[in-house]
């Protein structure tokens, strides 16, 4: 489950099940929104009191996102890697629009919405959906065992997001060294995978789904001053360098100082955090 | 292990798809040393094929079987419907832990009203899905993967002593009744007395618990 740091587990609205597609409340506003969103991932986020966006135009898929969210970055990486035409609507995660809970009862990003009004959430599920639903380069292997192997590696990675989140919320230096030690342990597990596979990437000699799914947290190591946790995992460091060369990864890289600016505001629960740098 | 709900998922899929298989039961309280070469933490279920490929995590194993073997597909073909089943699985994630905690509490003579309340809330969420969809099963009008992935914990509610947690969820009760009619579920149903015998020995830390009910 996508567990975002600072996200309360609550925030689910009473109604569950498939919400019906929204009809545009205000067509002029909706058009304005669409123009803003088309400019890529740089649109201002929508907050409480904003009008719900209209239906997704045919030929496009929409992703509800937040520019600095690592879970949503997974989905944006897959959209980019597969060359899928899409529209991004950023959500102010510190001041969520009420209508957003109709898109995802958990109120979290990423969420995909297509022109049929179908909604898909949970980052790993969105990524797999995109790979299955869209043509072009397959990011998940066709071979059932290789696909299962990628999912097992994903499980091996699964403690890292919450460790990084805990690190951000740490209160003192004792917590810091304990968490860094745990992170080193988790990195060793991934190092073992690369050692056994003898390949550059986690799925073989070219980038594939598993690499994109885990990348966002590795991108953030530098700005979080956690790079030294990878000191003893040389293949992992080589992998990180190789990932930075990948076109989808490099197209979506966030400047460290912009990320730092966001982080500082986000940790203070500022409603301006999500739009930092715009 | 004959009574493990996670392994039960995999056995249901093997049966539902008619896959020829061999079961090796592991004594979870006294694991063979070699078993750690199959799974780093010695957990079950693990699949091993003739190419010596190992697949573990019950959900991953079930999907692998559906992908690798012909015949009836348990996951839908449509990418959105597949995604929907996976989203439903997320909704279920608290149930295994809560049912186990209730079992342990009751067996240790502890109160578990709060746990049962939490479990009932999870069941309400699932009830809402069935209500919204207006279908018998979680994937539609026919049984499919998501139903098999949920089933093992519902089968155990009675023997764990918490069947009353379904009292306020009629659609879910209808679903359990429909599941018990499914040939695959039926074929793998565990006799209540045998299960109770296992539980008694298990909670006495008896290493023979896992083989309870087998002929000597």
């Amino acid at each position: 489950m996508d567990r975002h740091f600072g996200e309360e587990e609550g925030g689910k609205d009473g109604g569950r099940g498939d919400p019906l597609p929204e009809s545009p409340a205000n067509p002029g506003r909706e058009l304005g929104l669409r123009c803003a969103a088309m400019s890529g991932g740089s649109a201002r986020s929508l907050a409480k009191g904003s009008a719900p966006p209209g239906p997704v135009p045919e030929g496009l898929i929409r992703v509800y996102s937040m520019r600095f969210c690592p879970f949503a970055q997974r989905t944006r990486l897959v959209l980019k890697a597969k060359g899928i035409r899409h529209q991004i609507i950023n959500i102010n995660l510190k001041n969520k629009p009420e209508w957003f809970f109709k898109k995802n009862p958990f109120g979290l990003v990423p969420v995909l919405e297509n022109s049929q009004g179908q909604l898909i959430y949970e980052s790993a599920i969105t990524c797999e959906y995109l790979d299955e639903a869209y043509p072009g380069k397959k990011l998940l292997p066709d071979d059932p065992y290789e696909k299962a192997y990628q999912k097992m590696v994903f499980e091996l990675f699964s403690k890292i997001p919450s460790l990084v989140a805990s690190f951000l919320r740490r209160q003192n230096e004792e917590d810091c060294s304990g968490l860094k030690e745990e992170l080193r342990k988790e990195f060793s597990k991934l190092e073992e995978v690369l050692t056994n596979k003898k390949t550059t990437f986690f799925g073989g000699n070219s980038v594939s789904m598993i690499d994109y799914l885990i990348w966002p947290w590795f991108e953030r190591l530098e700005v979080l001053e956690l790079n030294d946790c990878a000191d003893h995992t040389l293949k992992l460091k080589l992998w990180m360098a190789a990932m930075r060369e990948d076109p989808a990864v490099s197209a979506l890289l966030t400047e460290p100082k912009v990320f730092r600016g966001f982080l500082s505001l986000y940790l203070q629960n500022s409603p301006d955090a999500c739009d930092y740098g715009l | 292990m004959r009574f493990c709900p996670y392994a039960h998922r995999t056995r249901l899929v093997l049966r539902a798809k008619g896959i020829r298989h061999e079961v090796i039961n592991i004594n979870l309280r006294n694991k063979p040393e070699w078993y750690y070469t199959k799974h780093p933490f010695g957990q079950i279920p693990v699949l091993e094929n003739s190419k010596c490929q190992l697949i573990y995590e019950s959900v991953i194993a079930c999907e692998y079987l559906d992908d690798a073997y012909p015949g009836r597909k348990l996951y839908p073909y449509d990418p959105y419907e597949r995604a929907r089943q996976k989203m439903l699985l997320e909704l279920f994630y608290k149930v295994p832990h809560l049912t186990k905690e209730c079992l342990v509490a009751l067996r240790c003579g502890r109160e578990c009203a709060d746990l049962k309340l939490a479990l009932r809330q999870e069941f309400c969420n699932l009830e809402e899905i069935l209500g919204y969809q207006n279908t018998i099963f979680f994937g539609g009008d026919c049984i499919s993967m998501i139903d098999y992935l949920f089933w093992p914990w519902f089968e155990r509610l009675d023997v764990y002593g918490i069947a009353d947690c379904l009292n306020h969820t009629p659609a879910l009760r209808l679903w359990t009744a429909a599941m018990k009619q499914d040939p695959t579920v039926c074929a793998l149903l565990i006799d209540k007395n045998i299960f109770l015998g296992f539980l008694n020995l298990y909670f006495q830390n008896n290493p023979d618990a896992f083989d309870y009910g087998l002929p000597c």
Side-chain angles (χ1 to χ4, degrees):
Chain A
M1 179 157 192
D2 294 344
R3 293 213 183 284
H4 305 232
F5 70 87
E7 289 288 290
E8 324 82 60
E9 281 224 36
K12 299 179 198 180
D13 82 331
R16 218 179 291 279
D18 288 354
L20 300 170
E22 299 287 345
S23 51
N26 178 342
R29 174 81 201 271
E30 191 249 314
L31 187 61
L33 270 175
R34 223 183 304 164
C35 289
M38 289 295 206
S39 64
S42 53
R44 298 202 77 81
S45 61
L46 299 185
K48 213 174 246 167
S50 60
V56 180
E58 278 232 35
L60 271 188
I61 190 161
R62 175 184 295 158
V63 59
Y64 295 95
S65 181
M66 193 277 279
R67 289 154 59 231
F68 305 99
C69 172
F71 296 95
Q73 188 180 353
R74 287 170 161 168
T75 315
R76 292 188 298 113
L77 281 166
V78 171
L79 286 163
K80 194 80 181 189
K82 290 182 69 81
I84 298 169
R85 288 187 65 228
H86 62 284
Q87 168 189 81
I88 299 177
I89 290 187
N90 289 310
I91 300 296
N92 188 329
L93 297 180
K94 289 297 186 187
N95 190 18
K96 294 174 191 176
E98 309 84 342
W99 54 259
F100 186 60
F101 290 89
K102 291 206 177 75
K103 306 299 182 185
N104 180 359
F106 298 106
L108 302 172
V109 296
V111 184
L112 287 174
E113 184 173 0
N114 62 22
S115 52
Q116 297 149 272
Q118 293 172 331
L119 294 148
I120 301 112
Y121 49 80
E122 288 305 311
S123 58
I125 300 177
T126 64
C127 292
E128 191 159 4
Y129 167 80
L130 290 172
D131 203 40
E132 289 168 3
Y134 287 83
K137 179 182 182 194
K138 282 296 168 213
L139 298 176
L140 273 170
D142 279 325
D143 177 70
Y145 172 70
E146 292 303 329
K147 180 179 164 198
Y149 185 80
Q150 292 215 4
K151 294 188 176 199
M152 288 187 276
V153 175
F154 186 66
E155 285 300 314
L156 265 185
F157 167 82
S158 62
K159 293 195 176 135
I160 291 175
S162 57
L163 280 175
V164 171
S166 296
F167 183 79
L168 284 163
R169 282 187 265 107
R170 75 193 182 283
Q171 301 292 350
N172 54 50
E173 287 320 298
E174 271 166 22
D175 289 346
C176 176
S177 58
L179 286 166
K180 286 179 81 164
E181 206 37 56
E182 283 192 64
L183 208 53
R184 277 191 197 96
K185 256 176 49 190
E186 297 305 310
F187 287 1
S188 296
K189 292 180 187 167
L190 294 175
E191 182 78 359
E192 221 183 297
V193 173
L194 290 174
T195 305
N196 292 339
K197 267 192 96 68
K198 301 183 174 52
T199 56
T200 311
F201 300 98
F202 282 94
N205 279 318
S206 51
V207 182
S208 64
M209 185 66 87
I210 182 63
D211 304 291
Y212 289 131
L213 290 177
I214 71 178
W215 170 251
W217 285 266
F218 288 93
E219 180 177 328
R220 285 154 179 71
L221 289 184
E222 184 191 322
V223 80
L224 297 177
E225 293 171 27
L226 287 172
N227 254 344
D228 62 314
C229 292
D231 278 349
H232 299 290
T233 48
L234 299 177
K235 293 185 181 61
L236 197 56
K237 277 171 61 162
L238 284 170
W239 170 81
M240 287 169 65
M243 284 299 278
R244 282 183 186 270
E245 302 291 308
D246 176 74
V249 166
S250 57
L252 265 47
L253 279 173
T254 303
E255 267 188 65
K257 68 177 197 302
V258 178
F259 191 83
R260 255 180 236 120
F262 152 76
L263 203 53
S264 160
L265 289 177
Y266 197 77
L267 290 172
Q268 295 164 41
N269 288 316
S270 164
D272 297 326
C274 297
D275 291 334
Y276 183 83
L278 288 179
Chain B
M1 195 276 281
R2 291 154 57 228
F3 307 96
C4 169
Y6 295 95
H8 193 172
R9 282 171 158 169
T10 311
R11 293 187 297 109
L12 283 166
V13 172
L14 285 162
R15 184 87 186 199
K17 288 181 70 78
I19 297 169
R20 289 184 62 226
H21 63 282
E22 156 184 74
V23 175
I24 292 184
N25 289 310
I26 301 296
N27 186 322
L28 298 178
R29 281 262 169 83
N30 193 15
K31 294 173 193 176
E33 307 81 351
W34 56 260
Y35 190 62
Y36 292 90
T37 66
K38 307 299 183 186
H39 188 290
F41 304 120
Q43 290 168 351
I44 52 160
V46 179
L47 290 172
E48 184 172 4
N49 61 22
S50 53
K51 292 181 240 177
C52 300
Q53 292 171 333
L54 296 156
I55 299 109
Y56 49 77
E57 288 303 314
S58 59
V59 176
I60 299 176
C62 291
E63 183 164 5
Y64 167 80
L65 291 171
D66 204 40
D67 289 339
Y69 287 83
R72 180 186 171 199
K73 283 296 170 207
L74 298 177
Y75 270 126
Y77 284 104
D78 177 68
Y80 171 69
E81 292 302 327
R82 288 176 77 93
R84 203 148 193 295
Q85 294 215 0
K86 294 176 182 195
M87 288 188 273
L88 279 178
L89 192 58
E90 291 288 327
L91 265 186
F92 179 80
Y93 88 96
K94 289 182 183 163
V95 172
H97 171 75
L98 285 171
T99 53
K100 183 176 182 178
E101 290 296 296
C102 286
L103 170 69
V104 171
L106 286 171
R107 284 268 160 177
C108 299
R110 285 198 313 265
E111 234 265 314
C112 64
D114 284 348
L115 288 167
K116 287 178 77 169
L117 192 61
L119 190 57
R120 278 197 188 93
Q121 180 54 52
E122 296 305 310
F123 289 173
C124 278
N125 297 343
L126 295 175
E127 178 82 0
E128 237 182 282
I129 297 290
L130 288 175
Y132 176 85
Q133 288 177 178
N134 202 20
T135 57
I136 305 178
F137 298 101
F138 282 98
D141 286 318
C142 297
I143 197 170
S144 64
M145 184 65 87
I146 187 65
D147 304 289
Y148 289 127
L149 294 177
F150 286 175
W151 175 250
W153 287 271
F154 288 91
E155 182 174 323
R156 285 157 178 70
L157 289 179
D158 184 27
V159 78
Y160 284 12
I162 49 175
D164 61 328
C165 288
L166 286 175
N167 282 356
H168 303 293
T169 49
L172 211 46
R173 285 201 305 276
L174 277 172
W175 173 78
T176 58
M179 288 297 281
K180 285 186 187 156
Q181 302 286 323
D182 177 71
T184 302
V185 166
C186 249
L188 266 48
L189 270 172
I190 306 169
D191 177 85
K192 182 172 180 175
N193 290 321
I194 294 185
F195 209 118
L196 282 171
F198 156 71
L199 286 174
N200 290 339
L201 289 179
Y202 183 81
F203 280 95
Q204 292 163 28
N205 287 316
N206 188 321
D208 295 330
F210 304 106
D211 291 337
Y212 184 82
L214 290 177
C216 298

